[in-house]
């Protein structure tokens, strides 16, 4: 069986670093808010090359804390409209609606799977205050045109960088391109903790200070509370796991690029479309390698008959979810057609070259008429 993702295999490769870090925390007797967190935050801000980092409980909370900070700082107000891609993971939208802000869904460019300036422009109204730029599947979504739109309309650019840590845009790391960014270290992300974890990055000291306070009951000095905050902390054990694994992220991402390059050059089947981007581009870290087919169900069966796992990201668009029934009347044809055609095939350092050969061969032999 070729697994879609094999966390045991990926983490076994780093077992020396991971076990040493776990033992260090265990023996320190200090489990929340200590050196491990500080070390990881510094290490990640070095890696990003700009701004400061605040470790938090998970990716959804990282996004929620960003929106809540802008509300606390008076730079957003309840009811403001936030542009969100129609084809993203639901957490992107949940963070917006949980903050009392309005989700305005925009269809992506069908080739990049990311929103573009044209889509953003079409969604802007006098109440639009921010764009949630999701770097979907690991691919940078930031462009100069989107920045110009944000500048000319006074919009905040908030990056959902749950999937693209390590990608860059003309030498600047994704996650440092907008006003603030959220990261997820859910175990299956390119940099995965051994549990839930996330982070906020920003070059804006007010956002950083507010997120720091909000994650800790709204307090920056013990027993003094300047905000009605939460408990959204990143614990020492997860911070230590992440600090142990971050030095290997670029190696993981490079292996993903190698596999993407093999898929790009060797998969050739008229019933399958491939992602449209040079596989060596530094703008992509290939969190997912997403193909499209109008015969997706038979393709899934065919792969499974060859012992290859595949997963749909994401089968039901946000506006067709029961939770967002108020958005269901908006026509979002690209989101709907992507949801019916996309399929993610295995990618990651758990695959060896034989696995890649097997996957390529199986895809090339797929014929929906058989
Ligand atoms: C994973 C993910 C999140 C949420 O992160 P969690 O750590 O699982 O809360 C948010 N947005 C996107 C695009 C994601 O892929």
């Amino acid at each position: 069986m070729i697994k879609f993702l094999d966390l045991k295999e990926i983490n076994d490769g780093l077992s020396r670093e991971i076990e040493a870090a776990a033992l260090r925390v265990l023996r320190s007797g200090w489990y929340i808010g200590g050196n491990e967190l500080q070390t990881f935050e510094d290490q990640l801000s070095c890696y990003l090359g700009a701004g400061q980092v605040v470790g938090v409980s998970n990716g959804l909370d990282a996004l929620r804390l960003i929106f809540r900070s802008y509300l606390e700082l008076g730079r957003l107000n309840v009811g403001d409209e936030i542009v969100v891609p129609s084809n993203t993971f639901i957490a992107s939208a949940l963070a917006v609606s949980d903050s009392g802000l309005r989700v305005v869904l925009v269809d992506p460019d069908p080739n990049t799977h990311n929103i573009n300036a044209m889509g953003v422009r079409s969604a802007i109204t006098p109440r639009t205050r921010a764009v949630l730029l999701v770097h979907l599947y690991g691919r940078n979504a930031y462009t100069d045109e989107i920045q110009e739109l944000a500048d000319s309309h006074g919009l905040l650019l908030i990056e959902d960088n749950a999937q693209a840590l390590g990608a860059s845009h003309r030498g600047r790391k994704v996650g440092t391109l907008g006003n603030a960014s959220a990261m997820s270290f859910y175990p299956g992300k390119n940099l995965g903790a051994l549990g839930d974890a996330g982070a906020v990055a920003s070059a804006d000291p007010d956002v950083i200070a507010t997120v720091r306070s909000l994650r800790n009951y709204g307090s920056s000095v013990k027993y003094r509370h300047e905000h009605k905050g939460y408990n959204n902390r990143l614990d020492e054990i997860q911070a230590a796991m992440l600090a142990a694994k971050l030095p290997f992220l670029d190696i993981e991402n490079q292996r993903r690029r190698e596999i993407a390059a093999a898929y790009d050059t060797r998969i050739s089947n008229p019933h399958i479309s491939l992602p449209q981007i040079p596989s060596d581009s530094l703008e992509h870290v290939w969190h997912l390698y997403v193909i499209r087919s109008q015969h997706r169900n038979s393709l899934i069966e065919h792969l499974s008959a060859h012992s290859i796992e595949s997963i749909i990201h994401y089968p039901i668009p946000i506006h067709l979810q029961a939770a967002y029934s108020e958005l269901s009347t908006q026509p979002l044809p690209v989101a709907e057609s992507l949801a019916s055609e996309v399929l993610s095939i295995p990618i990651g350092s758990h695959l060896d070259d034989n696995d890649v050969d097997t996957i390529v061969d199986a895809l090339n032999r797929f014929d929906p008429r058989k």
Side-chain angles (χ1 to χ4, degrees), residues 58-60 63 88-89 91-92 134 160 162-163 184 186 189 197 314:
N58 58 61
L60 173 57
L63 285 168
T88 180
F89 180 55
S92 312
V134 182
D160 179 338
Q163 302 191 355
S184 165
Y186 179 78
K189 308 284 166 145
Y314 301 93

Side-chain angles (χ1 to χ4, degrees), residues 202-225:
S202 180
D204 181 337
D206 295 334
V207 171
I208 290 295
T210 311
V211 171
R212 263 189 211 294
S213 165
L214 285 172
R215 78 169 167 185
N216 186 45
Y217 317 115
S219 166
S220 43
V221 176
K222 200 163 189 183
Y223 301 130
R224 284 175 180 265
H225 300 268

